[in-house]
Amino acid sequence: MATSSSSYEIEQLQKGCYYEWMGLQAKHIANLKEALMSQQSYENDHKLVGVIVNDFQKYAEKRRELSHRSCSSYFAPSWNSSLENGLLWMGGCRPSSFIRVIYALCGSQIETQISQYLHKIDGNEKVDGLMSELTATQLAKINELHIKVIEKEDKISKKSASMQEDVADMPIAVTAYAKDLVEAGVVVEDALDKHEEGMAVLMEEADKLRVETLRKIVEVVTPVQAAEFLLAGKRLHVSLHEWGRVREERRFGCARADAVAGGAGAGTSNKTTC
Amino acid sequence: MATSSSSYEIEQLQKGCYYEWMGLQAKHIANLKEALMSQQSYENDHKLVGVIVNDFQKYAEKRRELSHRSCSSYFAPSWNSSLENGLLWMGGCRPSSFIRVIYALCGSQIETQISQYLHKIDGNEKVDGLMSELTATQLAKINELHIKVIEKEDKISKKSASMQEDVADMPIAVTAYAKDLVEAGVVVEDALDKHEEGMAVLMEEADKLRVETLRKIVEVVTPVQAAEFLLAGKRLHVSLHEWGRVREERRFGCARADAVAGGAGAGTSNKTTC
């Protein structure tokens, strides 16, 4: 168990690790965009995709190391908006959502192509139809992967449910019942430490599933499709982080600023002044 | 959809509603303790248990009203510690954990009785053996309820998983992919509003299951057993809230105070000064 001072340092390290990752995501986005625009060689795309997947694995390894020293903060991080925290599964995104991104890209591109065909338009802003060119064999493999990933997610969710239930058992529930004092005591502190350690193990399993799912997807699709998928996934992550922050700021920032400026009359605050 | 200013007010109302509930829990704990100590009549216990279950239902109704206007904050509330937020299921405790509290009480009391029998001790601090007097029929009903509750929890968890996945689909994922701009735009804002509304409906379902489980438990056990169970559940909730807060304060409070007093040297902070 980490000491109080090092736990503070760990939370700072966790936050630092997250922002470092977000910085790297911005770099990845720029690289992927460039690769897709310039239509570079199969080998270059393949290399770039490999680097990005490996970077994700390295990020998961850093999280593992940091979560094993203090885990709870990963389940509702202070650096996320409520919207993002509400979307969290085991301290990150659902691996099955990677596959939903592929379906979304396929669908939107097919829709664009049909629309272009119907209107006989070949405009300049057409979306590259890479994902809509997925073969039946590729789609079957993606579907199969989707089912397997959901099964694995369910297994991890069940373990988490069981661990959450365990907190309502001995020794924690009985200690809480047996005394009026709010002091936890050594037995409860140990049990809570063990609970947090168990949750860290689950987060590690979930991170492994996230990396594994990503690896399997890029194996099924072509390097250029993989680049498109990774770009979509990363933009979704970065956008949700930003949108959540902006929504929260709009909800609370203005009202708080107004509350400071005009007392308790937050109800009359004006969005446009923010 | 609520406006920005009223959303701020709603978050304040949600927090107020929670603290009001915690205040009521303290009152309930005192009443339950008094009832168990004074060994009052069957009717009085029955009445007290009824009042407490109804208060829980009223709290759920208030949450429903407030969550339908702004829901995300309920999934990782600012008024909880990370420990508590890591234990959350659909914005509250798992209904199955109510049943685990019963098992914990049964187990601990049976252990105490065996220990007392073995050591022929009839000490002053013995735990009241009410839950250990559950009949085989009562236990069978509780077991049956446990299985049903877990099934219902799983159904709600699956709906939540599906809603989380939906965010990675159209229109959100495609909008994020299609443009570099971080502005969400009307279509995404509407989709995120709908997502939050859907999560509010799920939280309402979860709250209903929490209330329903509580009602079914108190129907199976005697009023005095119900009083004991409610006391244990409430003490567990209040204690976890307090223990989580204290753990977080110990981890961060000291280090932060030291960081202010002595610059970045948080690593040398001393627990005993807090």
Side-chain angles (χ1 to χ4, degrees), chain B residues 10-127:
Chain B
I10 290 163
E11 208 253 359
Q12 293 301 99
L13 288 171
Q14 288 170 342
K15 198 186 265 187
C17 173
Y18 172 77
Y19 282 112
E20 199 182 304
W21 170 241
M22 289 302 266
L24 195 56
Q25 299 246 71
K27 195 179 147 238
H28 287 160
I29 287 174
N31 293 344
L32 287 163
K33 234 176 88 179
E34 202 190 319
L36 286 165
M37 299 279 277
S38 63
Q39 299 186 342
Q40 55 184 27
S41 68
Y42 180 97
E43 285 71 25
N44 281 348
D45 282 342
H46 184 73
K47 202 176 148 193
L48 177 62
V49 166
V51 166
I52 289 175
V53 173
N54 284 340
D55 280 346
F56 188 50
Q57 172 138 22
K58 279 182 211 156
Y59 174 57
E61 280 160 15
K62 277 187 201 159
R63 273 162 57 97
R64 187 189 68 80
E65 195 197 315
L66 293 168
S67 71
H68 274 263
R69 294 162 74 192
S70 174
C71 181
S72 277
S73 50
Y74 270 124
F75 286 80
S78 59
W79 50 84
N80 276 354
S81 62
S82 311
L83 174 76
E84 259 189 302
N85 279 337
L87 287 169
L88 281 190
W89 173 81
M90 300 294 135
C93 65
R94 284 189 174 270
S96 53
S97 65
F98 295 156
I99 294 159
R100 286 294 287 270
V101 167
I102 297 180
Y103 294 154
L105 287 178
C106 280
S108 75
Q109 290 170 1
I110 289 168
E111 271 181 22
T112 309
Q113 284 172 353
I114 292 172
S115 159
Q116 283 170 351
Y117 176 78
L118 288 175
H119 296 91
K120 296 196 189 301
I121 292 163
D122 193 11
N124 292 324
E125 289 184 46
K126 79 166 186 173
V127 183

Side-chain angles (χ1 to χ4, degrees), chain A residues 237-254:
Chain A
H237 181 204
V238 170
S239 300
L240 279 174
H241 185 72
E242 188 60 17
W243 294 338
R245 194 189 61 73
V246 169
R247 277 164 75 90
E248 212 154 78
E249 210 170 78
R250 197 169 56 224
R251 285 182 180 179
F252 303 127
C254 305

Side-chain angles (χ1 to χ4, degrees), chain B residues 135-161:
Chain B
T135 63
T137 317
Q138 282 176 317
L139 261 177
K141 281 184 184 166
I142 295 287
N143 282 341
E144 204 181 314
L145 180 63
H146 196 193
I147 293 163
K148 277 187 190 157
V149 167
I150 288 175
E151 272 172 16
K152 286 182 184 172
E153 275 182 12
D154 282 351
K155 271 188 192 162
I156 297 175
S157 295
K158 282 208 171 88
K159 281 189 204 169
S160 156

